Amino acid sequence: ALPPAPAAERRLIARDANKNPLLSPYAWTEEAVARVFRVPAGFMRNQTQERIEALTAERGVSNIDLALVEEGIEFGKQMMAAMIEGYKKPNAVAPAPTAGASGNSAAAPSTSTTPSTPPASRPSGLNEVGRMSVMAAARREE
């Protein structure tokens, strides 16, 4: 597999309608560029591009086509859904510790309602980079 190129080796691939550049060490097809430019510029597009380029490196290819872009976007959607679920679950589980705090010994079984995923890999707080790394590692293990 090709190692990801440092930022200095990135070159201008294209610019969107607002003149936002697409910089990459890889070659992109016109269809791939057009599709990634439909992702909102800024954080979302940058994260999507990172996922696409990671897939490209994993596969050892040097050209990014529409299929790779779509796969990277789909992975991002799955990550977003997992993050949203992670934010919903603590609210559903939150009342259980309060019951245990009143001296009720039934507090221990309430942990069965928490996800079986280790806390480090569960979305929480504002550490998007950590969540993304954990999710990418989990995807590689599948």
Side-chain angles (χ1 to χ4, degrees), residues 72-109:
I73 290 171
E74 186 57 35
F75 182 65
K77 289 178 185 178
Q78 292 170 4
M79 287 176 38
M80 186 73 84
M83 279 197 311
I84 291 169
E85 274 305 307
Y87 288 122
K88 288 180 181 177
K89 287 183 181 180
N91 293 338
V93 177
T98 339
S102 65
N104 184 349
S105 61

PDB file of all heavy atoms in Angstrom, residues 72-109:
ATOM      1  N   GLY A  72     -16.261   6.023   0.767  1.00  0.00           N
ATOM      2  CA  GLY A  72     -15.825   6.892   1.858  1.00  0.00           C
ATOM      3  C   GLY A  72     -16.977   7.667   2.465  1.00  0.00           C
ATOM      4  O   GLY A  72     -17.067   7.824   3.684  1.00  0.00           O
ATOM      5  N   ILE A  73     -17.878   8.135   1.630  1.00  0.00           N
ATOM      6  CA  ILE A  73     -19.055   8.870   2.116  1.00  0.00           C
ATOM      7  C   ILE A  73     -19.967   7.937   2.906  1.00  0.00           C
ATOM      8  O   ILE A  73     -20.470   8.305   3.976  1.00  0.00           O
ATOM      9  CB  ILE A  73     -19.803   9.540   0.939  1.00  0.00           C
ATOM     10  CG1 ILE A  73     -18.960  10.698   0.385  1.00  0.00           C
ATOM     11  CG2 ILE A  73     -21.189  10.020   1.363  1.00  0.00           C
ATOM     12  CD1 ILE A  73     -19.472  11.288  -0.903  1.00  0.00           C
ATOM     13  N   GLU A  74     -20.169   6.730   2.417  1.00  0.00           N
ATOM     14  CA  GLU A  74     -21.016   5.761   3.131  1.00  0.00           C
ATOM     15  C   GLU A  74     -20.431   5.442   4.496  1.00  0.00           C
ATOM     16  O   GLU A  74     -21.153   5.362   5.492  1.00  0.00           O
ATOM     17  CB  GLU A  74     -21.184   4.487   2.296  1.00  0.00           C
ATOM     18  CG  GLU A  74     -22.157   3.500   2.895  1.00  0.00           C
ATOM     19  CD  GLU A  74     -23.564   4.065   3.122  1.00  0.00           C
ATOM     20  OE1 GLU A  74     -24.029   4.883   2.311  1.00  0.00           O
ATOM     21  OE2 GLU A  74     -24.184   3.689   4.140  1.00  0.00           O
ATOM     22  N   PHE A  75     -19.116   5.263   4.567  1.00  0.00           N
ATOM     23  CA  PHE A  75     -18.464   5.006   5.845  1.00  0.00           C
ATOM     24  C   PHE A  75     -18.699   6.184   6.793  1.00  0.00           C
ATOM     25  O   PHE A  75     -18.980   6.000   7.977  1.00  0.00           O
ATOM     26  CB  PHE A  75     -16.965   4.751   5.640  1.00  0.00           C
ATOM     27  CG  PHE A  75     -16.237   4.438   6.913  1.00  0.00           C
ATOM     28  CD1 PHE A  75     -16.507   3.294   7.630  1.00  0.00           C
ATOM     29  CD2 PHE A  75     -15.263   5.309   7.383  1.00  0.00           C
ATOM     30  CE1 PHE A  75     -15.838   3.010   8.802  1.00  0.00           C
ATOM     31  CE2 PHE A  75     -14.590   5.039   8.560  1.00  0.00           C
ATOM     32  CZ  PHE A  75     -14.871   3.886   9.272  1.00  0.00           C
ATOM     33  N   GLY A  76     -18.614   7.405   6.270  1.00  0.00           N
ATOM     34  CA  GLY A  76     -18.870   8.587   7.082  1.00  0.00           C
ATOM     35  C   GLY A  76     -20.294   8.623   7.617  1.00  0.00           C
ATOM     36  O   GLY A  76     -20.532   8.986   8.769  1.00  0.00           O
ATOM     37  N   LYS A  77     -21.248   8.208   6.788  1.00  0.00           N
ATOM     38  CA  LYS A  77     -22.645   8.157   7.241  1.00  0.00           C
ATOM     39  C   LYS A  77     -22.802   7.155   8.380  1.00  0.00           C
ATOM     40  O   LYS A  77     -23.516   7.408   9.353  1.00  0.00           O
ATOM     41  CB  LYS A  77     -23.567   7.768   6.084  1.00  0.00           C
ATOM     42  CG  LYS A  77     -23.744   8.842   5.039  1.00  0.00           C
ATOM     43  CD  LYS A  77     -24.633   8.321   3.924  1.00  0.00           C
ATOM     44  CE  LYS A  77     -24.769   9.279   2.780  1.00  0.00           C
ATOM     45  NZ  LYS A  77     -25.589   8.728   1.696  1.00  0.00           N
ATOM     46  N   GLN A  78     -22.135   6.006   8.264  1.00  0.00           N
ATOM     47  CA  GLN A  78     -22.207   4.993   9.318  1.00  0.00           C
ATOM     48  C   GLN A  78     -21.586   5.519  10.604  1.00  0.00           C
ATOM     49  O   GLN A  78     -22.120   5.296  11.690  1.00  0.00           O
ATOM     50  CB  GLN A  78     -21.506   3.711   8.877  1.00  0.00           C
ATOM     51  CG  GLN A  78     -22.214   2.989   7.759  1.00  0.00           C
ATOM     52  CD  GLN A  78     -21.385   1.863   7.165  1.00  0.00           C
ATOM     53  OE1 GLN A  78     -20.295   1.560   7.628  1.00  0.00           O
ATOM     54  NE2 GLN A  78     -21.905   1.244   6.116  1.00  0.00           N
ATOM     55  N   MET A  79     -20.471   6.233  10.480  1.00  0.00           N
ATOM     56  CA  MET A  79     -19.834   6.812  11.665  1.00  0.00           C
ATOM     57  C   MET A  79     -20.753   7.830  12.325  1.00  0.00           C
ATOM     58  O   MET A  79     -20.882   7.867  13.546  1.00  0.00           O
ATOM     59  CB  MET A  79     -18.502   7.471  11.289  1.00  0.00           C
ATOM     60  CG  MET A  79     -17.414   6.485  10.981  1.00  0.00           C
ATOM     61  SD  MET A  79     -15.857   7.223  10.429  1.00  0.00           S
ATOM     62  CE  MET A  79     -15.700   8.661  11.421  1.00  0.00           C
ATOM     63  N   MET A  80     -21.405   8.655  11.508  1.00  0.00           N
ATOM     64  CA  MET A  80     -22.314   9.665  12.038  1.00  0.00           C
ATOM     65  C   MET A  80     -23.485   9.008  12.761  1.00  0.00           C
ATOM     66  O   MET A  80     -23.867   9.431  13.848  1.00  0.00           O
ATOM     67  CB  MET A  80     -22.829  10.558  10.908  1.00  0.00           C
ATOM     68  CG  MET A  80     -23.668  11.710  11.391  1.00  0.00           C
ATOM     69  SD  MET A  80     -22.686  12.969  12.191  1.00  0.00           S
ATOM     70  CE  MET A  80     -22.153  13.868  10.763  1.00  0.00           C
ATOM     71  N   ALA A  81     -24.035   7.958  12.179  1.00  0.00           N
ATOM     72  CA  ALA A  81     -25.143   7.243  12.824  1.00  0.00           C
ATOM     73  C   ALA A  81     -24.694   6.651  14.155  1.00  0.00           C
ATOM     74  O   ALA A  81     -25.425   6.706  15.148  1.00  0.00           O
ATOM     75  CB  ALA A  81     -25.671   6.153  11.900  1.00  0.00           C
ATOM     76  N   ALA A  82     -23.480   6.103  14.192  1.00  0.00           N
ATOM     77  CA  ALA A  82     -22.955   5.527  15.436  1.00  0.00           C
ATOM     78  C   ALA A  82     -22.760   6.614  16.489  1.00  0.00           C
ATOM     79  O   ALA A  82     -23.052   6.396  17.669  1.00  0.00           O
ATOM     80  CB  ALA A  82     -21.651   4.794  15.169  1.00  0.00           C
ATOM     81  N   MET A  83     -22.278   7.789  16.054  1.00  0.00           N
ATOM     82  CA  MET A  83     -22.101   8.889  17.007  1.00  0.00           C
ATOM     83  C   MET A  83     -23.449   9.333  17.568  1.00  0.00           C
ATOM     84  O   MET A  83     -23.588   9.556  18.765  1.00  0.00           O
ATOM     85  CB  MET A  83     -21.409  10.076  16.345  1.00  0.00           C
ATOM     86  CG  MET A  83     -19.927   9.925  16.258  1.00  0.00           C
ATOM     87  SD  MET A  83     -19.033  11.463  15.927  1.00  0.00           S
ATOM     88  CE  MET A  83     -19.903  12.155  14.555  1.00  0.00           C
ATOM     89  N   ILE A  84     -24.436   9.446  16.699  1.00  0.00           N
ATOM     90  CA  ILE A  84     -25.763   9.866  17.152  1.00  0.00           C
ATOM     91  C   ILE A  84     -26.327   8.852  18.139  1.00  0.00           C
ATOM     92  O   ILE A  84     -26.875   9.209  19.178  1.00  0.00           O
ATOM     93  CB  ILE A  84     -26.705  10.084  15.949  1.00  0.00           C
ATOM     94  CG1 ILE A  84     -26.238  11.322  15.166  1.00  0.00           C
ATOM     95  CG2 ILE A  84     -28.156  10.217  16.392  1.00  0.00           C
ATOM     96  CD1 ILE A  84     -26.914  11.506  13.830  1.00  0.00           C
ATOM     97  N   GLU A  85     -26.186   7.571  17.839  1.00  0.00           N
ATOM     98  CA  GLU A  85     -26.632   6.529  18.767  1.00  0.00           C
ATOM     99  C   GLU A  85     -25.905   6.638  20.095  1.00  0.00           C
ATOM    100  O   GLU A  85     -26.488   6.466  21.150  1.00  0.00           O
ATOM    101  CB  GLU A  85     -26.414   5.133  18.164  1.00  0.00           C
ATOM    102  CG  GLU A  85     -27.538   4.662  17.304  1.00  0.00           C
ATOM    103  CD  GLU A  85     -28.896   4.675  18.003  1.00  0.00           C
ATOM    104  OE1 GLU A  85     -29.018   4.090  19.096  1.00  0.00           O
ATOM    105  OE2 GLU A  85     -29.824   5.286  17.456  1.00  0.00           O
ATOM    106  N   GLY A  86     -24.604   6.923  20.038  1.00  0.00           N
ATOM    107  CA  GLY A  86     -23.810   7.064  21.256  1.00  0.00           C
ATOM    108  C   GLY A  86     -24.303   8.211  22.116  1.00  0.00           C
ATOM    109  O   GLY A  86     -24.270   8.132  23.345  1.00  0.00           O
ATOM    110  N   TYR A  87     -24.770   9.274  21.493  1.00  0.00           N
ATOM    111  CA  TYR A  87     -25.295  10.401  22.252  1.00  0.00           C
ATOM    112  C   TYR A  87     -26.675  10.093  22.810  1.00  0.00           C
ATOM    113  O   TYR A  87     -27.052  10.587  23.860  1.00  0.00           O
ATOM    114  CB  TYR A  87     -25.354  11.663  21.388  1.00  0.00           C
ATOM    115  CG  TYR A  87     -23.995  12.236  21.099  1.00  0.00           C
ATOM    116  CD1 TYR A  87     -23.556  12.409  19.799  1.00  0.00           C
ATOM    117  CD2 TYR A  87     -23.132  12.591  22.126  1.00  0.00           C
ATOM    118  CE1 TYR A  87     -22.305  12.928  19.527  1.00  0.00           C
ATOM    119  CE2 TYR A  87     -21.879  13.105  21.873  1.00  0.00           C
ATOM    120  CZ  TYR A  87     -21.470  13.269  20.574  1.00  0.00           C
ATOM    121  OH  TYR A  87     -20.230  13.784  20.303  1.00  0.00           O
ATOM    122  N   LYS A  88     -27.441   9.269  22.121  1.00  0.00           N
ATOM    123  CA  LYS A  88     -28.786   8.928  22.595  1.00  0.00           C
ATOM    124  C   LYS A  88     -28.736   7.952  23.759  1.00  0.00           C
ATOM    125  O   LYS A  88     -29.482   8.074  24.702  1.00  0.00           O
ATOM    126  CB  LYS A  88     -29.607   8.310  21.459  1.00  0.00           C
ATOM    127  CG  LYS A  88     -30.021   9.284  20.400  1.00  0.00           C
ATOM    128  CD  LYS A  88     -30.825   8.578  19.338  1.00  0.00           C
ATOM    129  CE  LYS A  88     -31.245   9.511  18.231  1.00  0.00           C
ATOM    130  NZ  LYS A  88     -31.957   8.799  17.174  1.00  0.00           N
ATOM    131  N   LYS A  89     -27.873   6.948  23.697  1.00  0.00           N
ATOM    132  CA  LYS A  89     -27.833   5.892  24.706  1.00  0.00           C
ATOM    133  C   LYS A  89     -27.545   6.397  26.114  1.00  0.00           C
ATOM    134  O   LYS A  89     -28.214   5.972  27.028  1.00  0.00           O
ATOM    135  CB  LYS A  89     -26.839   4.808  24.298  1.00  0.00           C
ATOM    136  CG  LYS A  89     -27.359   3.968  23.165  1.00  0.00           C
ATOM    137  CD  LYS A  89     -26.416   2.861  22.806  1.00  0.00           C
ATOM    138  CE  LYS A  89     -27.015   2.080  21.640  1.00  0.00           C
ATOM    139  NZ  LYS A  89     -26.161   0.992  21.238  1.00  0.00           N
ATOM    140  N   PRO A  90     -26.583   7.293  26.339  1.00  0.00           N
ATOM    141  CA  PRO A  90     -26.365   7.743  27.712  1.00  0.00           C
ATOM    142  C   PRO A  90     -27.611   8.364  28.329  1.00  0.00           C
ATOM    143  O   PRO A  90     -27.866   8.201  29.503  1.00  0.00           O
ATOM    144  CB  PRO A  90     -25.240   8.763  27.592  1.00  0.00           C
ATOM    145  CG  PRO A  90     -24.497   8.348  26.373  1.00  0.00           C
ATOM    146  CD  PRO A  90     -25.568   7.797  25.440  1.00  0.00           C
ATOM    147  N   ASN A  91     -28.423   9.054  27.531  1.00  0.00           N
ATOM    148  CA  ASN A  91     -29.642   9.653  28.067  1.00  0.00           C
ATOM    149  C   ASN A  91     -30.635   8.576  28.499  1.00  0.00           C
ATOM    150  O   ASN A  91     -31.339   8.725  29.474  1.00  0.00           O
ATOM    151  CB  ASN A  91     -30.292  10.567  27.037  1.00  0.00           C
ATOM    152  CG  ASN A  91     -29.443  11.783  26.769  1.00  0.00           C
ATOM    153  OD1 ASN A  91     -28.612  12.150  27.599  1.00  0.00           O
ATOM    154  ND2 ASN A  91     -29.620  12.387  25.615  1.00  0.00           N
ATOM    155  N   ALA A  92     -30.689   7.479  27.754  1.00  0.00           N
ATOM    156  CA  ALA A  92     -31.614   6.406  28.098  1.00  0.00           C
ATOM    157  C   ALA A  92     -31.126   5.636  29.314  1.00  0.00           C
ATOM    158  O   ALA A  92     -31.916   5.106  30.072  1.00  0.00           O
ATOM    159  CB  ALA A  92     -31.766   5.458  26.908  1.00  0.00           C
ATOM    160  N   VAL A  93     -29.824   5.590  29.537  1.00  0.00           N
ATOM    161  CA  VAL A  93     -29.253   4.822  30.637  1.00  0.00           C
ATOM    162  C   VAL A  93     -29.063   5.694  31.876  1.00  0.00           C
ATOM    163  O   VAL A  93     -28.966   5.187  32.969  1.00  0.00           O
ATOM    164  CB  VAL A  93     -27.894   4.211  30.197  1.00  0.00           C
ATOM    165  CG1 VAL A  93     -27.238   3.459  31.320  1.00  0.00           C
ATOM    166  CG2 VAL A  93     -28.095   3.298  28.997  1.00  0.00           C
ATOM    167  N   ALA A  94     -29.052   6.999  31.725  1.00  0.00           N
ATOM    168  CA  ALA A  94     -28.745   7.915  32.820  1.00  0.00           C
ATOM    169  C   ALA A  94     -29.576   7.693  34.078  1.00  0.00           C
ATOM    170  O   ALA A  94     -29.031   7.727  35.170  1.00  0.00           O
ATOM    171  CB  ALA A  94     -28.867   9.351  32.345  1.00  0.00           C
ATOM    172  N   PRO A  95     -30.887   7.415  34.019  1.00  0.00           N
ATOM    173  CA  PRO A  95     -31.642   7.244  35.250  1.00  0.00           C
ATOM    174  C   PRO A  95     -31.194   6.050  36.091  1.00  0.00           C
ATOM    175  O   PRO A  95     -31.328   6.059  37.290  1.00  0.00           O
ATOM    176  CB  PRO A  95     -33.089   7.041  34.777  1.00  0.00           C
ATOM    177  CG  PRO A  95     -33.129   7.678  33.429  1.00  0.00           C
ATOM    178  CD  PRO A  95     -31.763   7.465  32.861  1.00  0.00           C
ATOM    179  N   ALA A  96     -30.627   5.011  35.503  1.00  0.00           N
ATOM    180  CA  ALA A  96     -30.241   3.815  36.254  1.00  0.00           C
ATOM    181  C   ALA A  96     -29.239   4.104  37.371  1.00  0.00           C
ATOM    182  O   ALA A  96     -29.451   3.662  38.490  1.00  0.00           O
ATOM    183  CB  ALA A  96     -29.711   2.740  35.309  1.00  0.00           C
ATOM    184  N   PRO A  97     -28.164   4.876  37.145  1.00  0.00           N
ATOM    185  CA  PRO A  97     -27.246   5.137  38.244  1.00  0.00           C
ATOM    186  C   PRO A  97     -27.892   5.902  39.389  1.00  0.00           C
ATOM    187  O   PRO A  97     -27.525   5.719  40.539  1.00  0.00           O
ATOM    188  CB  PRO A  97     -26.136   5.968  37.601  1.00  0.00           C
ATOM    189  CG  PRO A  97     -26.191   5.627  36.153  1.00  0.00           C
ATOM    190  CD  PRO A  97     -27.640   5.322  35.880  1.00  0.00           C
ATOM    191  N   THR A  98     -28.885   6.727  39.122  1.00  0.00           N
ATOM    192  CA  THR A  98     -29.537   7.470  40.190  1.00  0.00           C
ATOM    193  C   THR A  98     -30.235   6.517  41.149  1.00  0.00           C
ATOM    194  O   THR A  98     -30.191   6.693  42.346  1.00  0.00           O
ATOM    195  CB  THR A  98     -30.578   8.454  39.625  1.00  0.00           C
ATOM    196  OG1 THR A  98     -30.287   8.724  38.272  1.00  0.00           O
ATOM    197  CG2 THR A  98     -30.590   9.732  40.381  1.00  0.00           C
ATOM    198  N   ALA A  99     -30.834   5.463  40.603  1.00  0.00           N
ATOM    199  CA  ALA A  99     -31.495   4.487  41.460  1.00  0.00           C
ATOM    200  C   ALA A  99     -30.463   3.780  42.324  1.00  0.00           C
ATOM    201  O   ALA A  99     -30.694   3.512  43.489  1.00  0.00           O
ATOM    202  CB  ALA A  99     -32.260   3.469  40.613  1.00  0.00           C
ATOM    203  N   GLY A 100     -29.292   3.488  41.770  1.00  0.00           N
ATOM    204  CA  GLY A 100     -28.230   2.817  42.516  1.00  0.00           C
ATOM    205  C   GLY A 100     -27.646   3.728  43.570  1.00  0.00           C
ATOM    206  O   GLY A 100     -27.202   3.283  44.613  1.00  0.00           O
ATOM    207  N   ALA A 101     -27.658   5.021  43.341  1.00  0.00           N
ATOM    208  CA  ALA A 101     -27.085   5.972  44.281  1.00  0.00           C
ATOM    209  C   ALA A 101     -27.906   6.049  45.556  1.00  0.00           C
ATOM    210  O   ALA A 101     -27.409   6.417  46.601  1.00  0.00           O
ATOM    211  CB  ALA A 101     -26.978   7.346  43.635  1.00  0.00           C
ATOM    212  N   SER A 102     -29.171   5.653  45.510  1.00  0.00           N
ATOM    213  CA  SER A 102     -30.003   5.732  46.701  1.00  0.00           C
ATOM    214  C   SER A 102     -29.823   4.512  47.598  1.00  0.00           C
ATOM    215  O   SER A 102     -30.584   4.303  48.515  1.00  0.00           O
ATOM    216  CB  SER A 102     -31.479   5.887  46.292  1.00  0.00           C
ATOM    217  OG  SER A 102     -31.895   4.715  45.610  1.00  0.00           O
ATOM    218  N   GLY A 103     -28.821   3.677  47.284  1.00  0.00           N
ATOM    219  CA  GLY A 103     -28.554   2.532  48.125  1.00  0.00           C
ATOM    220  C   GLY A 103     -29.154   1.257  47.579  1.00  0.00           C
ATOM    221  O   GLY A 103     -29.043   0.207  48.183  1.00  0.00           O
ATOM    222  N   ASN A 104     -29.810   1.322  46.456  1.00  0.00           N
ATOM    223  CA  ASN A 104     -30.411   0.146  45.853  1.00  0.00           C
ATOM    224  C   ASN A 104     -29.312  -0.745  45.303  1.00  0.00           C
ATOM    225  O   ASN A 104     -28.525  -0.324  44.491  1.00  0.00           O
ATOM    226  CB  ASN A 104     -31.383   0.596  44.728  1.00  0.00           C
ATOM    227  CG  ASN A 104     -32.111  -0.576  44.120  1.00  0.00           C
ATOM    228  OD1 ASN A 104     -31.766  -1.729  44.364  1.00  0.00           O
ATOM    229  ND2 ASN A 104     -33.133  -0.271  43.334  1.00  0.00           N
ATOM    230  N   SER A 105     -29.236  -1.990  45.714  1.00  0.00           N
ATOM    231  CA  SER A 105     -28.169  -2.889  45.273  1.00  0.00           C
ATOM    232  C   SER A 105     -28.406  -3.369  43.839  1.00  0.00           C
ATOM    233  O   SER A 105     -27.590  -4.089  43.297  1.00  0.00           O
ATOM    234  CB  SER A 105     -28.064  -4.092  46.217  1.00  0.00           C
ATOM    235  OG  SER A 105     -29.279  -4.814  46.197  1.00  0.00           O
ATOM    236  N   ALA A 106     -29.505  -2.989  43.237  1.00  0.00           N
ATOM    237  CA  ALA A 106     -29.793  -3.392  41.863  1.00  0.00           C
ATOM    238  C   ALA A 106     -29.020  -2.534  40.853  1.00  0.00           C
ATOM    239  O   ALA A 106     -29.193  -2.670  39.676  1.00  0.00           O
ATOM    240  CB  ALA A 106     -31.284  -3.280  41.579  1.00  0.00           C
ATOM    241  N   ALA A 107     -28.152  -1.642  41.344  1.00  0.00           N
ATOM    242  CA  ALA A 107     -27.418  -0.769  40.437  1.00  0.00           C
ATOM    243  C   ALA A 107     -26.450  -1.552  39.557  1.00  0.00           C
ATOM    244  O   ALA A 107     -26.246  -1.216  38.424  1.00  0.00           O
ATOM    245  CB  ALA A 107     -26.654   0.301  41.218  1.00  0.00           C
ATOM    246  N   ALA A 108     -25.849  -2.595  40.054  1.00  0.00           N
ATOM    247  CA  ALA A 108     -24.869  -3.362  39.276  1.00  0.00           C
ATOM    248  C   ALA A 108     -25.474  -3.960  38.006  1.00  0.00           C
ATOM    249  O   ALA A 108     -24.895  -3.837  36.954  1.00  0.00           O
ATOM    250  CB  ALA A 108     -24.226  -4.439  40.134  1.00  0.00           C
ATOM    251  N   PRO A 109     -26.658  -4.599  38.064  1.00  0.00           N
ATOM    252  CA  PRO A 109     -27.212  -5.144  36.828  1.00  0.00           C
ATOM    253  C   PRO A 109     -27.529  -4.085  35.780  1.00  0.00           C
ATOM    254  O   PRO A 109     -27.614  -4.393  34.621  1.00  0.00           O
ATOM    255  CB  PRO A 109     -28.490  -5.853  37.273  1.00  0.00           C
ATOM    256  CG  PRO A 109     -28.274  -6.157  38.719  1.00  0.00           C
ATOM    257  CD  PRO A 109     -27.414  -5.038  39.226  1.00  0.00           C
TER     258      PRO A 109
END
